[in-house]
Amino acid sequence: MNFPFYIANRYLRSKNSTNAINIITLIAMLGVIIGTLALFIILSGFSGLRTFSYSLLDNADPDIKITASKGKSFVYNKPLDEALVSNLNIAEFSKIIEERAFLKYGDKNHIAYIKGVDTNYLNVLQVDDLLWRGNWIDPDFKNTAVIGYGIDSKLRIQNFLRPLEIFMPRAGTGIVNPNSAYRSINTQVVGVYGGGSEDFQNKFVFVELHVAQQLLGYNNDRISGLELKIKDPEKAEDTAAVLKKELGDRYKVQTRAELNELILKVINTENFVSYLLFTLIVIIALFNLIGAIIMMVIDKRKNLKTLLNLGATVKDIKRIFVLQGFLLCIVGMVIGVFLGIILVLLQNHYGWVRINSELAYPVEFRWFNLFTVMATILILGFIASKIASSRISKGFIEK
């Protein structure tokens, strides 16, 4: 066994002559345990929030969305159809129209987005699984609509008997008669969807594609976008790159990550900032480790003088206390990680900490988080041990 490691291991296991030093050592180890535990739980919590946020986006946005680079609409033509049909990575696609509209239900008004969808839409996004009450749009019935839970709350639709009026401004300028400034249509609300993000619940009124085209005065081949489902979601970026090359600059091709770039940046930034803050807390806790090592050096001065007389070098003695501090850090880290894993798994299973009565705070065990915490604690522990042992010199030992 390596000489410095053997002595460091003996010093770590043996009690110091002064009880206060033993207490300081325990406090230092406790600081490492708590710091490791807190850092692992925070990273696991943000991983859970990220996954939870992504799941909300999965319900609201497709794998890939194609829109016009200029203007709000484009004609669905044969070259575009061939590009989509020939791409083997595309499982399904749906034509859509999105536009802001004015809603009127009885004496209540609201502004939201109408979203016209074709019959293949549910093969791209399973929005019907999010229905809170009622049914999805039925092509067998004329002018049916499905609204978000937030819109339902604002309009207070108590039953599906009264029609929901949708108004859309006519394109162009110079309209003198206010009665001809809008196109309107009466729809029958047949369902209310929940789930997804709060913004998603407050945003859309789903109608059939031809209803949206009628409101906007579009021809049957004019749409505002295409939503695509990819066979392997991991290949979404590669598929988007191929489509961008094939379709050219006339179309904007965006993946789900690009559609929600701001949200994902906020989540990742919060995760990184939290990691830095809790790493700072770990650094502060490691000051106790530095103090504990210095106190051990003072307590073992006579033993160190003996080791020096027996032929040990000052470098060997420094290495002893670097290893002792590092071993102390490893023990605290292992205990902290073990406790952190148990707490994360228990939260996943039982959901003791809750956001509300129906939703447990999401946490997720990830190996990346585990390795990040271990690397952080070991690097900082080694630096702290190195700083503490740097005060050892031949003159200090022989005093």
Side-chain angles (χ1 to χ4, degrees):
M1 184 182 290
N2 184 272
F3 169 71
F5 180 79
Y6 174 77
I7 300 298
N9 190 35
R10 288 290 301 271
Y11 280 175
L12 185 64
R13 294 186 179 189
S14 62
K15 289 186 177 182
N16 295 285
S17 59
T18 307
N19 193 45
I21 298 177
N22 294 324
I23 295 173
I24 292 172
T25 304
L26 289 174
I27 292 173
M29 183 179 288
L30 187 63
V32 175
I33 293 171
I34 294 174
T36 303
L37 176 64
L39 187 57
F40 181 74
I41 288 177
I42 287 297
L43 291 180
S44 299
F46 269 98
S47 293
L49 281 176
R50 187 189 296 111
T51 301
F52 178 70
S53 299
Y54 285 3
S55 69
L56 296 180
L57 298 178
D58 288 346
N59 295 324
D61 295 306
D63 295 327
I64 294 176
K65 187 172 184 177
I66 300 174
T67 54
S69 296
K70 295 181 180 179
K72 294 184 177 181
S73 64
F74 58 89
V75 174
Y76 183 78
N77 52 33
K78 187 175 180 180
L80 181 56
D81 182 74
E82 289 176 351
L84 298 179
V85 173
S86 63
N87 194 310
L88 299 179
N89 290 327
I90 299 174
E92 301 284 349
F93 65 90
S94 172
K95 304 170 190 175
I96 63 152
I97 288 178
E98 286 183 15
E99 188 56 77
R100 190 183 291 263
F102 180 79
L103 310 178
K104 184 178 181 182
Y105 183 79
D107 59 347
K108 297 178 180 64
N109 303 317
H110 185 60
I111 295 175
Y113 280 83
I114 62 162
K115 184 162 185 174
V117 297
D118 61 17
T119 54
N120 203 43
Y121 184 73
L122 294 183
N123 293 325
V124 177
L125 288 170
Q126 285 72 48
V127 183
D128 56 335
D129 292 341
L130 302 178
L131 284 176
W132 180 60
R133 64 188 175 109
N135 302 295
W136 184 247
I137 301 166
D138 192 342
D140 294 334
F141 296 92
K142 187 178 180 181
N143 298 350
T144 56
V146 172
I147 65 175
Y149 177 79
I151 299 173
D152 178 60
S153 299
K154 290 172 183 176
L155 295 179
R156 297 183 182 178
I157 298 178
Q158 299 177 349
N159 56 64
F160 295 157
L161 299 178
R162 179 182 293 174
L164 172 67
E165 297 179 80
I166 303 177
F167 295 87
M168 185 74 67
R170 291 179 182 270
T173 58
I175 297 175
V176 178
N177 186 357
N179 294 325
S180 61
Y182 293 90
R183 291 188 180 91
S184 65
I185 195 168
N186 287 342
T187 60
Q188 192 69 45
V189 177
V190 294
V192 178
Y193 71 87
S197 64
E198 186 176 348
D199 179 64
F200 180 58
Q201 294 179 16
N202 291 323
K203 188 173 184 179
F204 290 123
V205 175
F206 287 95
V207 296
E208 290 180 84
L209 183 65
H210 71 85
V211 173
Q213 288 171 329
Q214 181 182 338
L215 274 168
L216 288 163
Y218 287 173
N219 295 326
N220 292 336
D221 57 353
R222 181 163 291 275
I223 58 176
S224 65
L226 289 159
E227 297 192 352
L228 283 58
K229 181 179 181 180
I230 306 303
K231 292 178 182 178
D232 183 2
E234 298 294 328
K235 296 182 179 179
E237 291 186 5
D238 295 335
T239 305
V242 171
L243 290 173
K244 286 177 184 177
K245 187 175 180 180
E246 289 184 0
L247 300 178
D249 297 334
R250 291 182 57 193
Y251 302 96
K252 186 189 296 182
V253 182
Q254 295 172 290
T255 63
R256 183 182 290 117
E258 290 171 332
L259 289 169
N260 299 279
E261 186 176 4
L262 179 60
I263 296 174
L264 300 183
K265 276 186 178 179
V266 169
I267 294 173
N268 292 330
T269 302
E270 287 179 345
N271 188 16
F272 182 66
V273 170
S274 298
Y275 168 76
L276 291 181
L277 288 174
F278 277 84
T279 299
L280 180 61
I281 293 172
V282 171
I283 292 173
I284 295 171
L286 288 174
F287 278 110
N288 291 324
L289 179 64
I290 295 173
I293 294 173
I294 292 172
M295 295 298 291
M296 290 180 205
V297 171
I298 296 171
D299 183 65
K300 302 291 185 183
R301 187 184 295 177
K302 292 182 180 179
N303 293 343
L304 298 181
K305 191 172 183 180
T306 302
L307 291 174
L308 200 62
N309 293 332
L310 289 173
T313 64
V314 174
K315 187 177 180 180
D316 289 333
I317 294 172
K318 284 184 177 182
R319 193 176 298 165
I320 288 171
F321 287 97
V322 170
L323 289 171
Q324 187 176 358
F326 193 61
L327 288 172
L328 186 68
C329 193
I330 288 175
V331 173
M333 180 199 69
V334 170
I335 296 172
V337 165
F338 177 73
L339 292 174
I341 291 173
I342 289 176
L343 289 175
V344 167
L345 294 178
L346 287 174
Q347 172 64 16
N348 263 334
H349 190 268
Y350 295 104
W352 288 330
V353 180
R354 309 190 74 82
I355 296 176
N356 55 45
S357 58
E358 297 179 354
L359 180 63
Y361 195 94
V363 293
E364 183 179 10
F365 174 80
R366 285 191 176 183
W367 289 105
F368 177 78
N369 292 337
L370 181 62
F371 293 139
T372 299
V373 170
M374 292 174 66
T376 301
I377 298 299
L378 291 178
I379 291 171
L380 293 178
F382 179 78
I383 293 172
S385 303
K386 199 78 173 174
I387 292 171
S389 63
S390 64
R391 298 195 58 181
I392 301 173
S393 63
K394 189 172 182 180
F396 175 79
I397 296 172
E398 293 179 342
K399 277 185 181 180

